[in-house]
Amino acid sequence: MIETERVVSKGARLQPFILTGYHGVPTHGSVTIQAFDREQRWRRALAGLDKWWGIALLSVFIPVAHFLLVPSFFVYGLGQFFQRLGTAEVAAAPRGTCPDCGAEQVLELAPRWRAPQPVTCRHCGRGLRLTLPNPP
Ligand SMILES: [Zn+2]
């Protein structure tokens, strides 16, 4: 079975992967990887800052709780800003079949794309390992 990377849209590509469990034959799945260039990273980072600081600003009007909410959202916004600024690739819609229980599902991955990475089956709860197929 030969799977090759193909370009889905600008900056996004379909990345095939292999899921390995404790038992069973490793299965194949795929994920859409969205890559961001420098400008896109800045735009995403600023959008995140805008959103969370906007929420912080709205929290000013909540009595008492604003002492906690305003600084919290402010700091969280900064955290999101730097996280997004450093995120070059994001994984979206990862789909795969669990090699242990055979359930096809949308997998939950770390927000920042990396491989290999551990994933958990939503159905049987077993820990799986996501790896990239060997280059041909
Ligand atoms: Zn499973």
Side-chain angles (χ1 to χ4, degrees), residues 1-31:
M1 188 172 175
I2 300 161
E3 284 170 308
T4 48
E5 281 186 26
R6 59 188 173 95
V7 177
V8 178
S9 62
K10 189 186 172 290
R13 66 177 197 271
L14 197 66
Q15 170 69 60
F17 59 75
I18 292 168
L19 276 179
T20 315
Y22 295 115
H23 315 286
V25 183
T27 54
H28 292 259
S30 66
V31 60

Short mmCIF file of all heavy atoms in Angstrom, two decimals, residues 1-31:
data_model
loop_
_atom_site.label_atom_id
_atom_site.label_comp_id
_atom_site.label_asym_id
_atom_site.label_seq_id
_atom_site.Cartn_x
_atom_site.Cartn_y
_atom_site.Cartn_z
N MET A 1 0.85 -1.20 0.00
CA MET A 1 0.00 0.00 0.00
C MET A 1 0.88 1.24 0.00
O MET A 1 1.66 1.46 0.93
CB MET A 1 -0.89 -0.02 1.24
CG MET A 1 -1.94 1.07 1.24
SD MET A 1 -3.07 0.81 2.62
CE MET A 1 -4.07 2.27 2.49
N ILE A 2 0.78 1.99 -1.05
CA ILE A 2 1.61 3.20 -1.15
C ILE A 2 0.75 4.44 -0.96
O ILE A 2 -0.23 4.64 -1.66
CB ILE A 2 2.35 3.25 -2.51
CG1 ILE A 2 3.23 2.02 -2.65
CG2 ILE A 2 3.16 4.53 -2.64
CD1 ILE A 2 3.64 1.72 -4.07
N GLU A 3 1.13 5.23 0.02
CA GLU A 3 0.42 6.49 0.25
C GLU A 3 1.43 7.61 0.13
O GLU A 3 2.49 7.57 0.72
CB GLU A 3 -0.20 6.51 1.64
CG GLU A 3 -1.44 5.65 1.73
CD GLU A 3 -1.89 5.49 3.17
OE1 GLU A 3 -1.05 5.11 3.99
OE2 GLU A 3 -3.06 5.74 3.45
N THR A 4 1.08 8.58 -0.66
CA THR A 4 1.99 9.70 -0.82
C THR A 4 1.34 10.98 -0.30
O THR A 4 0.12 11.11 -0.31
CB THR A 4 2.39 9.90 -2.30
OG1 THR A 4 1.20 9.85 -3.07
CG2 THR A 4 3.34 8.82 -2.76
N GLU A 5 2.17 11.88 0.15
CA GLU A 5 1.66 13.18 0.59
C GLU A 5 1.11 13.91 -0.61
O GLU A 5 1.69 13.89 -1.68
CB GLU A 5 2.81 14.01 1.16
CG GLU A 5 3.18 13.65 2.56
CD GLU A 5 4.22 14.60 3.11
OE1 GLU A 5 4.27 15.76 2.66
OE2 GLU A 5 4.97 14.18 3.99
N ARG A 6 -0.04 14.53 -0.44
CA ARG A 6 -0.52 15.36 -1.53
C ARG A 6 -1.02 16.69 -0.98
O ARG A 6 -1.46 16.79 0.15
CB ARG A 6 -1.60 14.65 -2.34
CG ARG A 6 -2.81 14.24 -1.56
CD ARG A 6 -3.69 13.37 -2.44
NE ARG A 6 -4.78 12.82 -1.66
CZ ARG A 6 -5.98 13.39 -1.60
NH1 ARG A 6 -6.23 14.49 -2.25
NH2 ARG A 6 -6.94 12.85 -0.88
N VAL A 7 -0.92 17.67 -1.83
CA VAL A 7 -1.29 19.02 -1.40
C VAL A 7 -2.80 19.19 -1.49
O VAL A 7 -3.40 18.91 -2.52
CB VAL A 7 -0.56 20.07 -2.26
CG1 VAL A 7 -0.99 21.47 -1.89
CG2 VAL A 7 0.94 19.91 -2.10
N VAL A 8 -3.43 19.60 -0.42
CA VAL A 8 -4.88 19.79 -0.38
C VAL A 8 -5.21 21.22 -0.79
O VAL A 8 -6.00 21.46 -1.67
CB VAL A 8 -5.43 19.49 1.02
CG1 VAL A 8 -6.93 19.75 1.07
CG2 VAL A 8 -5.12 18.06 1.42
N SER A 9 -4.62 22.17 -0.10
CA SER A 9 -4.79 23.57 -0.48
C SER A 9 -3.52 24.29 -0.08
O SER A 9 -2.60 23.69 0.45
CB SER A 9 -6.00 24.18 0.23
OG SER A 9 -5.81 24.16 1.62
N LYS A 10 -3.47 25.58 -0.31
CA LYS A 10 -2.25 26.34 -0.05
C LYS A 10 -1.87 26.22 1.44
O LYS A 10 -2.66 26.54 2.30
CB LYS A 10 -2.47 27.80 -0.41
CG LYS A 10 -1.19 28.61 -0.38
CD LYS A 10 -1.48 30.08 -0.62
CE LYS A 10 -0.24 30.90 -0.40
NZ LYS A 10 0.17 30.98 1.00
N GLY A 11 -0.66 25.75 1.67
CA GLY A 11 -0.19 25.64 3.05
C GLY A 11 -0.67 24.42 3.79
O GLY A 11 -0.24 24.16 4.89
N ALA A 12 -1.61 23.67 3.17
CA ALA A 12 -2.13 22.47 3.83
C ALA A 12 -1.76 21.24 3.03
O ALA A 12 -1.70 21.29 1.80
CB ALA A 12 -3.63 22.57 3.99
N ARG A 13 -1.49 20.16 3.71
CA ARG A 13 -1.18 18.92 3.01
C ARG A 13 -1.80 17.76 3.76
O ARG A 13 -2.03 17.84 4.97
CB ARG A 13 0.34 18.74 2.89
CG ARG A 13 1.04 18.53 4.21
CD ARG A 13 2.53 18.29 4.00
NE ARG A 13 3.13 17.70 5.20
CZ ARG A 13 3.64 18.41 6.20
NH1 ARG A 13 3.62 19.70 6.15
NH2 ARG A 13 4.15 17.81 7.25
N LEU A 14 -2.05 16.69 3.04
CA LEU A 14 -2.60 15.48 3.64
C LEU A 14 -1.45 14.56 4.00
O LEU A 14 -0.68 14.16 3.13
CB LEU A 14 -3.57 14.81 2.67
CG LEU A 14 -4.51 13.80 3.29
CD1 LEU A 14 -5.49 14.48 4.23
CD2 LEU A 14 -5.28 13.08 2.20
N GLN A 15 -1.34 14.28 5.27
CA GLN A 15 -0.23 13.47 5.76
C GLN A 15 -0.73 12.10 6.20
O GLN A 15 -1.50 12.00 7.15
CB GLN A 15 0.43 14.21 6.94
CG GLN A 15 1.45 13.38 7.71
CD GLN A 15 2.70 13.12 6.91
OE1 GLN A 15 3.39 14.04 6.51
NE2 GLN A 15 3.01 11.85 6.69
N PRO A 16 -0.31 11.05 5.50
CA PRO A 16 -0.69 9.72 5.97
C PRO A 16 0.13 9.33 7.20
O PRO A 16 1.26 9.78 7.35
CB PRO A 16 -0.36 8.81 4.78
CG PRO A 16 0.62 9.56 3.96
CD PRO A 16 0.48 11.02 4.28
N PHE A 17 -0.47 8.53 8.09
CA PHE A 17 0.29 8.05 9.24
C PHE A 17 -0.07 6.61 9.56
O PHE A 17 -1.02 6.05 8.99
CB PHE A 17 0.09 8.96 10.46
CG PHE A 17 -1.34 9.09 10.92
CD1 PHE A 17 -1.97 8.06 11.60
CD2 PHE A 17 -2.04 10.26 10.68
CE1 PHE A 17 -3.28 8.19 12.04
CE2 PHE A 17 -3.36 10.40 11.11
CZ PHE A 17 -3.97 9.36 11.79
N ILE A 18 0.69 6.03 10.47
CA ILE A 18 0.47 4.64 10.87
C ILE A 18 0.14 4.64 12.36
O ILE A 18 0.78 5.34 13.14
CB ILE A 18 1.73 3.80 10.59
CG1 ILE A 18 1.94 3.67 9.07
CG2 ILE A 18 1.63 2.41 11.23
CD1 ILE A 18 3.30 3.11 8.70
N LEU A 19 -0.89 3.89 12.71
CA LEU A 19 -1.27 3.75 14.11
C LEU A 19 -0.86 2.37 14.59
O LEU A 19 -1.21 1.36 13.99
CB LEU A 19 -2.78 3.90 14.28
CG LEU A 19 -3.35 5.32 14.41
CD1 LEU A 19 -4.86 5.24 14.53
CD2 LEU A 19 -2.77 6.04 15.61
N THR A 20 -0.11 2.35 15.68
CA THR A 20 0.34 1.08 16.24
C THR A 20 -0.22 0.91 17.64
O THR A 20 -0.18 1.83 18.45
CB THR A 20 1.88 1.06 16.31
OG1 THR A 20 2.41 1.55 15.09
CG2 THR A 20 2.39 -0.36 16.52
N GLY A 21 -0.77 -0.25 17.91
CA GLY A 21 -1.29 -0.57 19.24
C GLY A 21 -0.47 -1.68 19.85
O GLY A 21 0.64 -1.97 19.42
N TYR A 22 -1.03 -2.31 20.88
CA TYR A 22 -0.33 -3.42 21.53
C TYR A 22 -0.50 -4.71 20.73
O TYR A 22 0.40 -5.51 20.60
CB TYR A 22 -0.85 -3.62 22.95
CG TYR A 22 -0.57 -2.44 23.83
CD1 TYR A 22 -1.60 -1.68 24.35
CD2 TYR A 22 0.74 -2.09 24.15
CE1 TYR A 22 -1.34 -0.59 25.16
CE2 TYR A 22 1.01 -1.01 24.95
CZ TYR A 22 -0.03 -0.26 25.45
OH TYR A 22 0.23 0.81 26.24
N HIS A 23 -1.72 -4.89 20.23
CA HIS A 23 -2.02 -6.08 19.44
C HIS A 23 -2.43 -5.64 18.05
O HIS A 23 -2.62 -4.47 17.81
CB HIS A 23 -3.17 -6.88 20.06
CG HIS A 23 -3.04 -7.03 21.54
ND1 HIS A 23 -2.14 -7.90 22.11
CD2 HIS A 23 -3.68 -6.41 22.55
CE1 HIS A 23 -2.25 -7.81 23.42
NE2 HIS A 23 -3.17 -6.91 23.73
N GLY A 24 -2.63 -6.60 17.23
CA GLY A 24 -3.19 -6.31 15.92
C GLY A 24 -2.19 -5.70 14.96
O GLY A 24 -1.09 -5.32 15.33
N VAL A 25 -2.63 -5.63 13.73
CA VAL A 25 -1.79 -5.11 12.66
C VAL A 25 -1.91 -3.59 12.66
O VAL A 25 -3.02 -3.05 12.77
CB VAL A 25 -2.27 -5.68 11.30
CG1 VAL A 25 -1.38 -5.21 10.16
CG2 VAL A 25 -2.30 -7.21 11.36
N PRO A 26 -0.79 -2.88 12.58
CA PRO A 26 -0.85 -1.42 12.52
C PRO A 26 -1.75 -0.95 11.39
O PRO A 26 -1.79 -1.55 10.32
CB PRO A 26 0.60 -1.01 12.27
CG PRO A 26 1.40 -2.12 12.82
CD PRO A 26 0.58 -3.37 12.59
N THR A 27 -2.51 0.11 11.63
CA THR A 27 -3.45 0.60 10.63
C THR A 27 -2.98 1.95 10.08
O THR A 27 -2.09 2.58 10.63
CB THR A 27 -4.85 0.79 11.25
OG1 THR A 27 -4.72 1.63 12.40
CG2 THR A 27 -5.45 -0.53 11.66
N HIS A 28 -3.63 2.35 8.99
CA HIS A 28 -3.28 3.61 8.35
C HIS A 28 -4.35 4.66 8.61
O HIS A 28 -5.52 4.32 8.70
CB HIS A 28 -3.11 3.42 6.84
CG HIS A 28 -1.92 2.59 6.49
ND1 HIS A 28 -0.74 3.14 6.06
CD2 HIS A 28 -1.71 1.25 6.55
CE1 HIS A 28 0.13 2.17 5.85
NE2 HIS A 28 -0.43 1.01 6.14
N GLY A 29 -3.92 5.89 8.70
CA GLY A 29 -4.86 6.99 8.84
C GLY A 29 -4.27 8.19 8.16
O GLY A 29 -3.20 8.13 7.56
N SER A 30 -4.99 9.30 8.21
CA SER A 30 -4.46 10.50 7.60
C SER A 30 -4.89 11.74 8.37
O SER A 30 -5.89 11.74 9.09
CB SER A 30 -4.91 10.61 6.14
OG SER A 30 -6.31 10.77 6.10
N VAL A 31 -4.11 12.77 8.24
CA VAL A 31 -4.37 14.03 8.93
C VAL A 31 -4.05 15.17 7.97
O VAL A 31 -3.18 15.04 7.11
CB VAL A 31 -3.53 14.11 10.23
CG1 VAL A 31 -2.04 14.05 9.94
CG2 VAL A 31 -3.85 15.37 11.03
#
